Structure formats: C-alpha cells, structure tokens
Amino acid sequence: MLQVAPSKTDTERLLLVSPELADILSSIIRRLRGSGGAVPLVTSYDVHERVWNPPMPLLFQRNIGTEQRAFTPTALRKLLINALATTGLTDAGGEPLVFSPHDFRRIFVTDAIMNGLPPHIAQVLCGHKSLDTTMGYKAIYPAETIETHRAFIARRRATRPSDEYRTPTEEEWDAFLAHFEKRKVSIGTCARAFSSPCVHEHACVRCSLLRPDPAQRGRLEEIRDNLVARIAEAEREGWLGEVEGLKVSLAGAEDKLAQIDRQSQKATISLGMPKTRSGDLE
C-alpha cells in the first residue's frame, strides 16, 4: 500500500501498488536514504496554495549542492518531455507526443477499467468524490465500443431460449408473411406487431396503431357522419349504453381525419418551372 499525502481534496488515501512498482519505489527509497537510514525531510512549494509545505520525506527529491530539494512540477514536466523526445514517438498527425504527469493518471484509469476493474473501485483509488469524474478520465475507443457491444449481444443470446434462434418452419414463415398481408384495411394500414392480438377487436377507427390512408378520407368522413347520425338516434331512443360506445368511435374517426390533415400540410407542393417573358431574353 502507498500512502499519498493530502492533495487538493485535503484527504489522505491508500493506493494499491503492483510488485513492479513496489520494486521501483524501493530502489528510489534506497537511493534517497541517508546515513541514518531514513529518507531526508525536504520542504516543497505548493504552487496552487502559494505556501511552503512542512518538511516531508518526499520520494521525488534530488541533491543540489549541499542540500536536498524537491522536484518542482515544472522540472517533472521537462524531464517527461525530454524522455518523450528521446523515444521519437509521434501522434496520429505525426507531431511529437506531449504528456503531462496528470495524463498518466488518465491512462491508469483507462487501462484499469478496460481490464476489468469496476469503475467505483477506480473512483476510490483516484480519490474522486463523484463517479462521473472518474468516468471522465476513462477514454473510449471505437474498437472497444464494437467489442463491448458484441460481447453484450452474446451474453443476451446466451440467456435467451435457444428456440428463438432456430430456423423457422415453412408454416411459421407463411404465417409471418400473412400477417403483413392482413395489415392493409379499408381506411389505412394497421401497425400492430406480429402475433399480437387486436385490443379493439378490429374496430380500427378506435385504434391508435391505424395509419390512415389520405386517399380514404371520403370513406372516413362517411363513417364519421354515420356515427353522428347513430348517436342522435341512440339519444332519441334512450340507448345510453350505445351512446357511450359510439362517442368513443366518433372521437377515433375525428382523430384519424386530423392525422390526414396534418399529413397533407407537410406534403411538398410543386411550383412547376418558371416561365420567362420575351423581354427577359433581350
């Protein structure tokens, strides 16, 4: 475990250290230890708070003359830039790579989550208060998106009945095609899903899934006028139960007519080709 001194969040946190990193840290500590076997205490300047921190056994320190001094953030950036320049690595545009120390924090989060570390555990390791901050560090690549989606589909298929992925029989295929042939009705097209029952018992004028055909507007108007006449007759005869059902059908017919009107308003109007006058050609 590696204990990190209070950072910008003013909290201490413990980080998991791999054996390889532990070996590197041990080498740094052995190099820094003085005659007493302890890491020298050095002061460092906090560029954000603009104050000098109390003496601490910092790992990133060096000997300058007769005293130990902490590496400044600027010095660390210069060392990193020089190391990258030596490698000759370039980005996709052919420009030399430029990293900041904080970029390695983002690389760590991306690599850890891509290799199976739960995001909420990465949040604790980074000391973030919000999981959204941690996920903001996580880079998402196109290949990762494709592979993750394929793995998701494979998991879903593994949990579903295998019968759903078999080859349909001739009878099942004919029934499937017949469903779409029966979707055409006198006043439009039924959008009901395959193998689902008709909730309105084929009273299409009431159904929200009916897509009315503008060419059948006259037929819908006849249905509406007939419903108005039947409602008047039912009210006159005192058939109150009949009145209630007819009014539902009337509301459905009027809604279908309104749908046709909205479709006609969105239709493209052809203006034709402009005609030129004889004087325009002179």
Side-chain angles (χ1 to χ4, degrees):
M1 305 292 286
L2 174 65
Q3 188 169 10
V4 180
S7 59
K8 60 184 179 182
T9 58
D10 291 330
T11 58
E12 290 187 352
R13 58 182 182 271
L14 297 177
L15 301 182
L16 297 174
V17 176
S18 65
E20 294 81 7
L21 179 56
D23 183 63
I24 294 174
L25 294 175
S26 298
S27 300
I28 295 175
I29 293 173
R30 286 197 303 269
R31 186 183 61 198
L32 292 176
R33 281 175 176 172
S35 57
V39 176
L41 302 180
V42 295
T43 58
S44 60
Y45 184 72
D46 190 329
V47 296
H48 300 288
E49 300 293 338
R50 297 185 178 181
V51 296
W52 286 94
N53 295 319
M56 293 184 291
L58 300 178
L59 294 181
F60 295 101
Q61 58 176 282
R62 57 182 171 174
N63 181 271
I64 299 180
T66 59
E67 62 180 7
Q68 293 290 121
R69 293 184 183 179
F71 277 96
T72 64
T74 301
L76 291 175
R77 287 188 175 88
K78 287 183 178 179
L79 289 172
L80 181 58
I81 292 173
N82 293 336
L84 285 171
T86 302
T87 63
L89 296 175
T90 59
D91 58 18
E95 298 294 328
L97 285 180
V98 178
F99 280 159
S100 69
H102 197 265
D103 288 332
F104 288 92
R105 184 173 168 90
R106 298 178 179 273
I107 294 173
F108 166 77
V109 173
T110 299
D111 184 69
I113 294 179
M114 288 183 65
N115 284 278
L117 183 70
H120 65 282
I121 301 299
Q123 174 192 355
V124 175
L125 295 179
C126 293
H128 294 153
K129 292 183 178 180
S130 171
L131 183 60
D132 292 338
T133 304
T134 306
M135 295 310 296
Y137 280 48
K138 167 69 172 65
I140 299 178
Y141 304 101
E144 179 192 0
T145 303
I146 296 172
E147 293 173 0
T148 303
H149 181 261
R150 287 177 176 173
F152 168 75
I153 295 299
R155 291 194 302 270
R156 287 292 302 273
R157 287 181 174 176
T159 58
R160 297 182 67 87
S162 58
D163 290 346
E164 295 187 5
Y165 298 99
R166 63 178 174 79
T167 302
T169 63
E170 291 295 331
E171 292 76 11
E172 290 172 336
W173 185 248
D174 291 340
F176 179 75
L177 296 178
H179 163 78
F180 291 95
E181 293 176 356
K182 294 177 181 178
R183 288 178 61 175
K184 188 66 177 179
V185 294
S186 61
I187 54 178
T189 303
C190 176
R192 178 164 50 93
F194 172 70
S195 192
S196 60
C198 179
V199 295
H200 294 118
E201 298 180 356
H202 304 287
C204 298
V205 74
R206 298 184 178 188
C207 186
S208 59
L209 295 178
L210 174 71
R211 310 304 298 172
D213 183 1
Q216 301 299 326
R217 180 184 178 86
R219 183 184 294 272
L220 273 171
E221 290 177 344
E222 291 179 4
I223 294 175
R224 179 198 58 189
D225 296 340
N226 179 263
L227 288 169
V228 171
R230 290 178 60 188
I231 291 174
E233 178 187 10
E235 290 176 341
R236 183 173 62 254
E237 299 294 336
W239 303 332
L240 300 183
E242 188 78 7
V243 170
E244 184 176 355
L246 291 172
K247 286 185 176 180
V248 174
S249 298
L250 177 61
E254 291 176 341
D255 178 66
K256 297 298 179 291
L257 288 170
Q259 289 184 37
I260 292 176
D261 292 338
R262 288 193 295 269
Q263 292 176 12
S264 62
Q265 292 174 1
K266 297 179 182 179
T268 303
I269 300 176
S270 176
L271 300 179
M273 294 296 295
K275 296 181 179 180
T276 58
R277 295 173 298 182
S278 57
D280 295 337
L281 302 177
E282 296 179 358

